[in-house]
Amino acid sequence: MSGADGQTGGAVGIDELLERVRAGYDRVEPRDAYEAARAGEALLVDIRYAALRERDGLIPGALVVERNELEWRLDPRGSHRLPEATGHGLRVVVICNEGYASSLAAESLHRLGLRRATDLTGGFQAWRAAGLPVAPAAG
């Protein structure tokens, strides 16, 4: 809350928040995420909204979970979890469009006890730029 003197009471801007959040885990580069998923060592989770998936395509094998459902779908103890949410040791790689929202999402998964959650550096756009597989969206 900002007072009359312009002080923000300890609030931080988004750039500082991202820096703090990202310091708490190791982010994953596209090629490493691809290899980990192929080896069955990581679950790729695409949180991009539908219009971006329709425009740019999908990562084959990635689980699509809308950002507003992420915590409910991946909480291993949650009543609305997906079958893929097998336990707190699951390595989840969250993917957004450019690698910003996914950082905040990964941090939120950490709060649920998913300590191996991370995100994709550069997001879907970096994945595609690396020449990794992309499938057209259905429809």
Side-chain angles (χ1 to χ4, degrees):
M1 176 182 257
S2 183
D5 62 359
Q7 296 298 315
T8 58
V12 298
I14 189 63
D15 292 333
E16 184 177 343
L17 178 61
L18 280 171
E19 186 177 318
R20 288 182 186 182
V21 162
R22 290 172 176 168
Y25 62 90
D26 292 324
R27 301 181 80 206
V28 179
E29 295 295 324
R31 178 69 54 190
D32 295 332
Y34 173 72
E35 294 298 334
R38 281 191 54 190
E41 298 170 357
L43 176 65
L44 304 181
V45 179
D46 187 344
I47 64 168
R48 294 175 300 143
Y49 54 89
L52 289 176
R53 295 191 311 267
E54 290 167 10
R55 182 189 78 189
D56 294 337
L58 302 169
I59 295 172
L63 185 65
V64 174
V65 179
E66 296 286 339
R67 173 62 191 100
N68 63 328
E69 297 179 356
L70 184 69
E71 292 81 0
W72 284 266
R73 299 295 186 223
L74 293 183
D75 178 3
R77 291 188 267 179
S79 59
H80 298 290
R81 73 182 174 278
L82 293 169
E84 293 86 352
T86 57
H88 287 96
L90 182 65
R91 183 175 183 208
V92 175
V93 178
V94 183
I95 303 165
C96 69
N97 193 48
E98 295 182 341
Y100 295 99
S102 57
S103 295
L104 300 177
E107 195 269 340
S108 182
L109 293 176
H110 279 231
R111 290 185 195 177
L112 287 176
L114 293 158
R115 293 288 171 212
R116 296 182 68 210
T118 186
D119 75 315
L120 186 69
T121 303
F124 177 86
Q125 297 305 323
W127 177 280
R128 185 170 62 183
L132 296 169
V134 174

